[in-house]
Amino acid sequence: MTYLTRLTEAIKNELAQGRLGTPVYVRIVIVASSDHGHLVPVSVAGIQMVQELLGPAIDEIFVAGSVESGNLSLQLHLQGGRTGQVVVILKREGAPGADLLLVGNHGTLRHDLAEAGLADETGERLWSPGSVRAELVEAVEESLRRRTPVRLG
């Protein structure tokens, strides 16, 4: 199991308790260490997490930045007006980390992997290369190439 998978499950359990209401926005910032320098697949892992937490299908993806610069910023528009943002930054030194903000119509939830002191302790990967969906990788790469939003579906 990866850290993002465990985090997603923990947040879904929190959502099931109803204290946040309906989730409407998720922002996740992933700091990938140099050994996790596959920015597109890491960003897709973040997209998949956002979609799992918000629920509806993704209508549109827009990607800014570049693999060469070591950072990508993705804006996601989901069906029903929900939105998500995934930011992936390559950090040449230090442990990987993630910062997540989820906004519901009755409250917010924030989690910072580095702040919680877990980044150095878990030893597990943030994401799994085998779990990323090929169609999302293609959409991210197409948006990077065209420098415009890409519609899905």
Side-chain angles (χ1 to χ4, degrees):
M1 180 173 285
T2 67
Y3 186 80
L4 290 181
T5 303
R6 279 195 312 115
L7 180 58
T8 302
E9 291 306 313
I11 293 170
K12 285 169 67 175
N13 288 337
E14 187 75 22
L15 288 172
Q17 295 177 21
R19 288 182 278 203
L20 300 175
T22 303
V24 294
Y25 172 79
V26 175
R27 183 214 64 220
I28 183 163
V29 178
I30 301 171
V31 179
S33 62
S34 59
D35 62 327
H36 295 116
H38 302 93
L39 291 180
V40 171
V42 172
S43 67
V44 171
I47 291 170
Q48 291 172 189
M49 182 179 189
V50 168
Q51 186 172 16
E52 215 173 316
L53 293 174
L54 292 182
I58 297 171
D59 280 336
E60 189 175 81
I61 296 174
F62 176 68
V63 185
S66 71
V67 173
E68 295 78 17
S69 70
N71 66 76
L72 296 177
S73 180
L74 297 87
Q75 183 68 37
L76 312 172
H77 298 276
L78 288 83
Q79 292 175 359
R82 297 178 187 181
T83 59
Q85 183 179 22
V86 177
V87 178
V88 182
I89 304 162
L90 179 62
K91 183 177 182 182
R92 308 252 180 242
E93 296 177 13
D99 178 80
L100 178 126
L101 172 69
L102 184 143
V103 178
N105 63 346
H106 294 301
T108 61
L109 178 141
R110 181 175 177 267
H111 177 81
D112 185 338
L113 171 60
E115 187 176 281
L118 298 173
D120 293 324
E121 296 174 16
T122 63
E124 66 186 321
R125 293 182 64 90
L126 280 173
W127 63 288
S128 170
S131 68
V132 297
R133 293 182 13 217
E135 72 273 12
L136 292 176
V137 170
E138 291 173 15
V140 168
E141 289 174 342
E142 183 179 345
S143 182
L144 276 170
R145 239 185 345 271
R146 291 180 15 198
R147 298 179 188 250
T148 61
V150 171
R151 300 227 14 111
L152 300 178

